[in-house]
Amino acid sequence: MHSMPQPPIQESKEQETPLVFDASVLRHQLQLPKQFIWPDEEKPCKDVPELVVPFINLGGFLSGDPVAAMEASRLVGEACQKHGFFLVVNHGIDKNLISDAHLFMDDFFELPLSQKQRAQRKAGEHCGYASSFTGRFSSKLPWKETLSFQFSADKNSPNLVKDYLCNTMGKDFEKFGKVYQDYCEAMSNLSIGIMELLGMSLGVGKAYFREFFEENSSIMRLNYYPPCQKPDLTLGTGPHCDPTSLTILHQDQVGGLQVYVDNEWHSISPDFNAFVVNIGDTFMALSNGRYKSCLHRAVVNSQKTRKSLAFFLCPRSDKVVSPPCELVDNFNPRLYPDFTWPMLLEFTQKHYRADMKTLETFANWLQHKRN
């Protein structure tokens, strides 16, 4: 029996002795602090089935073959109507860059907690170091550490990632900053290509979403899931849909990503040569609900640290999220009000813990505010 995950209680942190997620200590602890123990109906299940996800070969599309582009867009469209997850291969991203992006994570996450806290995320912000969500919530905490930073495809901010990491962590992090600057640029280019396929599959043409996201202002997140001695009691990341537009994820070989499809959890196994791509809430609104953002989570294990690289494509802050007119008619009326990405981001940072109902709740909240 796989019960539907319940939306997290939208509670904020009470004033009490702050809990600190120090991975170097907690990875060995047999007794988990109660804040990390999830309710029985949301605890991870053993031996979940593998999700059948299409492999989209981008080779022909990237080399300009129109037949290959049509086939790729057809497969993308089918996946997005079903669950919003697909894998891309022959994507043209340098394998050494991917390896370096995984390798350099250790340079940060293996530091003592006090040094990682130089990049500490401030309340209400989405960039910086976060050790679980200990500052924001007091229950159903994720068993992970993250480092998030802003990327801009704007020509006027060519070194935004590198400068942020060097300014925050010091000159020793110059090479580290360069790796993630290069990685973000590669992800931005790849996501623009995927947006062309999404435009073709929705019948609005290649250029529509490419132009919308060309000067994207996106978020890069390094996820670090330390081993947990009681992995069946907690989750690395709780069930949620991404509020962003498109997520491009690269997993290491440990595995732990699970997706909720047809009323049960499924796993997506790691594949070094593939990126896992999924639709987020912002694109669900842009497509007027035609394409779905899908519920997913991450589980942890007792043996190995798991690492993943997540690039969240987001539109430039002044872009109005409104579906193209081709996707709105008498049979398909507008599902969501107009908004900008910073409005939804602020909602998830200050008012709401992202889950499977974020977009719906945000739309209601917006309409209530506007009335």
Side-chain angles (χ1 to χ4, degrees), residues 76-93:
V76 162
E78 279 177 13
C80 290
Q81 281 171 325
K82 224 175 275 173
H83 46 60
F85 270 81
F86 53 94
L87 297 172
V88 296
V89 290
N90 291 333
H91 40 66
I93 310 293

Side-chain angles (χ1 to χ4, degrees), residues 53 58 106 123 125 231 283 356:
V53 195
L58 295 183
D106 292 340
E125 291 188 1
F283 194 82
M356 72 291 290

Side-chain angles (χ1 to χ4, degrees), residues 284-315:
M284 186 163 150
L286 262 181
S287 73
N288 199 31
R290 302 269 180 106
Y291 287 177
K292 308 282 181 270
S293 58
C294 183
L295 196 62
H296 55 286
R297 68 182 185 184
V299 299
V300 290
N301 71 84
S302 59
Q303 305 295 317
K304 279 185 168 173
T305 295
R306 174 178 180 254
K307 296 184 282 187
S308 69
L309 303 155
F311 180 83
F312 300 103
L313 180 71
C314 311

Side-chain angles (χ1 to χ4, degrees), residues 56-128:
I56 316 286
N57 185 340
L58 295 183
F61 163 67
L62 293 172
S63 64
D65 176 348
V67 178
M70 284 307 294
E71 177 59 8
S73 74
R74 184 185 68 78
L75 290 169
V76 162
E78 279 177 13
C80 290
Q81 281 171 325
K82 224 175 275 173
H83 46 60
F85 270 81
F86 53 94
L87 297 172
V88 296
V89 290
N90 291 333
H91 40 66
I93 310 293
D94 180 0
K95 285 180 179 173
N96 294 330
L97 178 59
I98 299 170
S99 296
D100 282 352
H102 279 285
L103 209 57
F104 274 82
M105 282 175 76
D106 292 340
D107 284 13
F108 178 82
F109 289 104
E110 295 295 324
L111 288 171
L113 180 64
S114 59
Q115 287 186 45
K116 289 184 279 198
Q117 285 172 329
R118 298 201 322 243
Q120 188 70 41
R121 190 196 287 201
K122 294 178 181 67
E125 291 188 1
H126 64 281
C127 285

Side-chain angles (χ1 to χ4, degrees), residues 211-283:
E211 286 163 9
F212 191 84
F213 287 100
E214 232 155 17
E215 292 182 344
N216 65 83
S217 179
S218 297
I219 300 164
M220 179 74 211
R221 179 165 299 150
L222 314 181
N223 293 311
Y224 203 80
Y225 303 93
C228 173
Q229 296 309 311
K230 296 282 173 67
D232 50 339
L233 298 182
T234 192
L235 288 169
T237 303
H240 68 288
C241 298
D242 294 333
T244 46
S245 297
L246 189 78
T247 304
I248 303 184
L249 182 85
H250 197 275
Q251 312 187 70
D252 67 6
Q253 294 306 297
V254 177
L257 174 63
Q258 295 187 349
V259 181
Y260 197 74
V261 180
D262 297 331
N263 297 319
E264 67 173 331
W265 289 103
H266 296 72
S267 63
I268 296 184
S269 293
D271 182 332
F272 181 82
N273 297 313
F275 286 99
V276 182
V277 182
N278 69 275
I279 295 298
D281 289 338
T282 301
F283 194 82

